[in-house]
Amino acid sequence: IDPPPPSSLMAADGSRRGDEKRRGREEIMEMAKEPRRGSEQDANIISRFLYLWMTPLMTLGHTNEIVMDDLPPVADDFRTQELVRRFNAANAQRQRKLKRQRRGGGQRAEAFSIGWDLYRMVTGQLWASGMFMLIYSICQVAQPLLLRFLIESIRDQRFDGIYFVVGLFLCQAIGAVSNQAHFHRAFKVGQKLRAVIIALVFQKALGVHTWQMSGWGMGEIVNLMSNDSQKFFELMPQFHLLWAAPLQIAVTAFFLISQLGVSALAGIAALVCVIPANVGLASVLDRFRKKHLPITDRRLKMCTESLSGMRIVKLFCWEMSFLREIFQLRSLEDRYISKEMTVFAVQIWMMILVPSLAMTITFGTYSLMGNRLDAATVFSSLAFFNVLRFPLMYMGTVVMVAVQTTVSLKRLNRFLALPSDDLDNALRSRKSPFEDRRSLHVEKQPEKQPEKQPEKQ
């Protein structure tokens, strides 16, 4: 008997492996039955905090390749139609409130802005992430205090140190869970804001007449949907640091002064000097950003026009001219990007250097004043300065992203404030032109009988 051809062997081997993968996937899904595998909205509260709702999907991905059918459906509150509906509801509520205020007190008209409407759309999740950020900040500040009490308990040979050990463990555990819960909800808010901004820009671009879009080309619109919407997504995970970081700095400074006395003011003064430096760097970054974005818009417009008219470009041999122009814009854009990165590097350098310098100045001043450094004071003070290091290191990044987001919000407001026709309302309110009385109606007329020609003799 002749052996089977190699192609049939490969086909049989492939089908056998496919059957094994299919059976493995079915067995795993039978073991981990969920209403929706990997779906957060169907999970209980413990599963949401510990992310147990991802276990079935992770187990499936460990043994088999995940395909689109294995992923859970998009949650209802993440669908673009629902997000746009919530934004329109928030905008309509604000417009009604402004109308009532104008009728009552004659308030002057405000400039168009979508900032408050975006805030009202995600108020619940934004406040929830802020609550978890507050819990995380409390746990961070409480750990140096518990460490001081633990060292004093060991020094005095007391037996209540076990309570402080348990407190340190609970602060670490609760702080870690709260921090991840804050980031998870903040990223979800950022995704929603990015999605609704892209939808609003796309809807406005379809409803605005060409003659009304003076100064707004295809490159600018693409930049709004890609870069400017991305800034909101980048800001949300760090948004609550705008109030949590100053709060941590103030509370930690209070405990340092109560612990080290007047000598702590020397280190705190070194930290305070960072604030005006950050403000100055943020203003410089804002100026670079305003010059950078128009160049990006011009480059994207040039790329879009060259791609859309590629046939004309090829016929007239304009490839090198377009490439030269695009590369010149890109080189000019790279200059501003390098300047922005330089400012960012200076901010990071200051945030890393200043806390160490502040600790050195504080302990040096404390010793020169004739005070004695003991273990409880030193280690708890070092822990407090480590708490200060985190908000100070990220404060520069938060300020930079907040400035960029403010610039993007102003650009979005200018584009969305363009007059446009709501096609849906127009179709609902206006009659069809074929139903207008002035329109021309063509009715079927009776056919005329052809006249008989006289017969020729």
Side-chain angles (χ1 to χ4, degrees), residues 184-195:
H184 181 61
R185 283 159 179 78
F187 274 114
K188 290 170 65 175
V189 171
Q191 289 175 348
K192 291 181 179 180
L193 293 181
R194 181 175 59 183

Side-chain angles (χ1 to χ4, degrees), residues 276-291:
N278 276 331
V279 173
L281 291 175
S283 62
V284 173
L285 187 65
D286 186 18
R287 187 165 62 252
F288 289 156
R289 185 71 180 173
K290 288 181 179 179
K291 294 180 180 178

Side-chain angles (χ1 to χ4, degrees), residues 71-316:
L71 298 177
V74 179
D76 295 336
D77 57 341
F78 273 92
R79 297 184 179 276
T80 307
Q81 297 88 343
E82 178 65 18
L83 294 175
V84 174
R85 186 193 65 80
R86 290 183 183 181
F87 176 84
N88 292 333
N91 182 265
Q93 182 180 2
R94 185 171 65 91
Q95 294 298 330
R96 289 194 297 267
K97 183 178 179 180
L98 290 177
K99 287 182 180 179
R100 288 195 300 266
Q101 291 178 353
R102 293 192 192 102
R103 292 173 183 173
Q107 185 181 5
R108 60 185 179 86
E110 298 181 357
F112 178 83
S113 178
I114 62 171
W116 283 107
D117 300 332
L118 293 175
Y119 167 73
R120 291 188 182 93
M121 190 185 71
V122 294
T123 302
Q125 286 191 336
L126 195 62
W127 278 82
S129 63
M131 181 190 66
F132 287 115
M133 186 65 191
L134 179 62
I135 296 173
Y136 172 73
S137 301
I138 294 173
C139 292
Q140 288 291 105
V141 176
Q143 290 181 33
L145 293 175
L146 293 174
L147 180 62
R148 178 182 177 85
F149 296 151
L150 176 61
I151 295 174
E152 291 178 350
S153 176
I154 296 174
R155 182 190 61 189
D156 299 337
Q157 295 183 355
R158 298 196 309 266
F159 296 97
D160 56 350
I162 185 65
Y163 302 113
F164 302 124
V165 173
V166 174
L168 281 171
F169 170 76
L170 291 178
C171 283
Q172 288 281 356
I174 296 174
V177 173
S178 300
N179 190 29
Q180 296 304 318
H182 154 253
F183 276 119
H184 181 61
R185 283 159 179 78
F187 274 114
K188 290 170 65 175
V189 171
Q191 289 175 348
K192 291 181 179 180
L193 293 181
R194 181 175 59 183
V196 74
I197 287 172
I198 293 174
L200 291 174
V201 172
F202 188 79
Q203 185 179 8
K204 173 63 72 171
L206 293 179
V208 177
H209 295 288
T210 306
W211 59 271
Q212 292 175 331
M213 296 179 63
S214 58
W216 294 98
M218 186 60 65
E220 289 85 351
I221 296 174
V222 173
N223 198 12
L224 288 176
M225 291 191 291
S226 57
N227 294 335
D228 293 310
S229 62
Q230 181 68 20
K231 295 304 174 184
F232 287 84
F233 178 76
E234 295 174 357
L235 174 65
M236 285 302 107
Q238 306 170 3
F239 174 76
H240 291 292
L241 283 176
L242 293 173
W243 60 266
L247 179 63
Q248 287 186 13
I249 293 171
V251 174
T252 306
F254 170 77
F255 284 115
L256 279 174
I257 293 174
S258 63
Q259 185 168 283
L260 297 176
V262 183
S263 59
L265 294 175
I268 295 173
L271 297 176
V272 170
C273 292
V274 179
I275 298 176
N278 276 331
V279 173
L281 291 175
S283 62
V284 173
L285 187 65
D286 186 18
R287 187 165 62 252
F288 289 156
R289 185 71 180 173
K290 288 181 179 179
K291 294 180 180 178
H292 171 210
L293 288 177
I295 299 173
T296 304
D297 295 339
R298 288 170 54 192
R299 180 179 60 83
L300 289 175
K301 180 181 179 182
M302 183 71 66
C303 293
T304 305
E305 291 177 351
S306 61
L307 290 175
S308 60
M310 183 55 66
R311 181 177 297 178
I312 304 299
V313 172
K314 289 291 185 181
L315 287 175
F316 287 92

Side-chain angles (χ1 to χ4, degrees), residues 414-435:
R414 285 194 293 110
F415 178 74
L416 296 177
L418 295 176
S420 62
D421 293 333
D422 192 345
L423 299 181
D424 295 334
N425 294 335
L427 291 176
R428 294 192 192 99
S429 61
R430 299 178 184 176
K431 292 184 179 181
S432 173
F434 295 103
E435 298 177 359

